[in-house]
Amino acid sequence: MSDVEQPQVFVNRFGDAAGPGDRESARDTCRCMAQPKQEKRFHRDRQDTRAPGWLRLLDLIEQAAADGREKFTPLAELSAQERRQVVTLPASIGTLTEVKHLVLYGSNLVRIPPQIGMMRNLKVFEPYTSYRLHWFPYELTRCPLLDDSTVSTRAVYGNYKTRMTFPKLAETGRPPATPDPGRWGADEILSCSVCDQALTGGETRQVWISRGVGSDVLPLLVNACSQACVDALPKPAANHVPMVHTGGREVAQPATQW
C-alpha cells in the first residue's frame, strides 16, 4: 500500500452557472473592496431596458414562471456581453413563486429589487462572486423558507472581514418618481419594506440593518414609511452594528476578524 497521499479532486459547484465566454469580461471592475474604510456611495448604474441581455432575461423569467421550474440559473444562458448588461433584476423576478434555488453566480449586479421577497418557495440563494453586489433589500427576509445562501461576504458592507463602510443615508426624504440609484440605492421605491404599504408621496425613512439571511449575515436596506416601522425592525445580528443606522464613516463597527 502506497504511503503517497493521493490528490483530492474538488467538484466545482458552479461549473454550469458561469455561462459562455470569459467570466471577467462579463462584469465591470469594482474598487470598493480595495479601500473598505473610504466613504462609500451606491453604484449609480441604471439598467438599460433596451439591452439584449435585459430583454433575454425577461424572456427567461417568463419561461421559468410558466413551466414552474424549481432551479433558476438565468445567467448561464446569456453571453458574457449580455451578462455585463444586467445590473439589476427585473421586478418580474417576484413571479417565480415555485423556484427553490436561485443561482446568480459571477453576475454584474449592483442591486436586487425588493420583489425578490415574493419568491415564497426560495430556499437556496447563490449570488456567489457577484463582487459589485454590496447589499440586499430588506424584503429578502420575507422568503420564509430561505435557509441556505452562498454570498461573497467580503464584498458586502459591514462584513466581519473588512468592516467595509456603509453608504450614508438621509434619515428622511421624499424620493422622486425616478430616484437616482446613487442616492437612493434604487431606480424605483414603491412600498414600505416593513409593512408593505404603498409609499404615496410621503417621506421615506431609509436605514441599514445587518441580519442573518440564509447562511450569511447581510447588510439590508430598509425603505420605511414611518418611524413606527423602523422601530418594529428586529434586533441586528451579533458582532455587527448593534442598531439600525444611516451609515457613513462615523458608524462604529466591531473590529475586523480577518
Side-chain angles (χ1 to χ4, degrees), residues 13 49 52 84 98 102 106 111 139 161 221 223 246 249:
R13 291 195 295 123
T49 56
R84 193 167 188 165
E98 299 304 315
L102 178 60
R111 55 185 172 273
E139 286 82 352
K161 298 174 183 177
L221 179 63
N223 290 297
T246 55
R249 293 182 62 185

Side-chain angles (χ1 to χ4, degrees), residues 34-67:
Q35 297 176 310
K37 304 301 183 183
Q38 281 194 346
E39 194 76 40
K40 295 292 183 289
R41 293 195 63 182
F42 292 112
H43 286 289
R44 306 190 67 170
D45 310 48
R46 286 188 181 274
Q47 180 60 56
D48 180 358
T49 56
R50 298 171 298 177
W54 176 259
L55 298 176
R56 176 65 175 144
L57 180 57
L58 290 175
D59 288 342
L60 292 171
I61 291 175
E62 185 175 348
Q63 293 171 23
D67 63 32

Side-chain angles (χ1 to χ4, degrees), residues 198-219:
L199 296 171
T200 56
E203 288 192 334
T204 298
R205 291 160 173 79
Q206 283 195 316
V207 295
W208 292 110
I209 184 171
S210 296
R211 288 286 297 169
V213 181
S215 311
D216 301 286
V217 174
L218 302 178

Side-chain angles (χ1 to χ4, degrees), residues 114 138-139 141-142 191-197 221-225:
Y138 185 76
E139 286 82 352
T141 64
R142 295 181 186 170
S191 60
C192 177
S193 301
V194 183
C195 71
D196 204 29
Q197 295 298 308
L221 179 63
V222 178
N223 290 297
C225 66

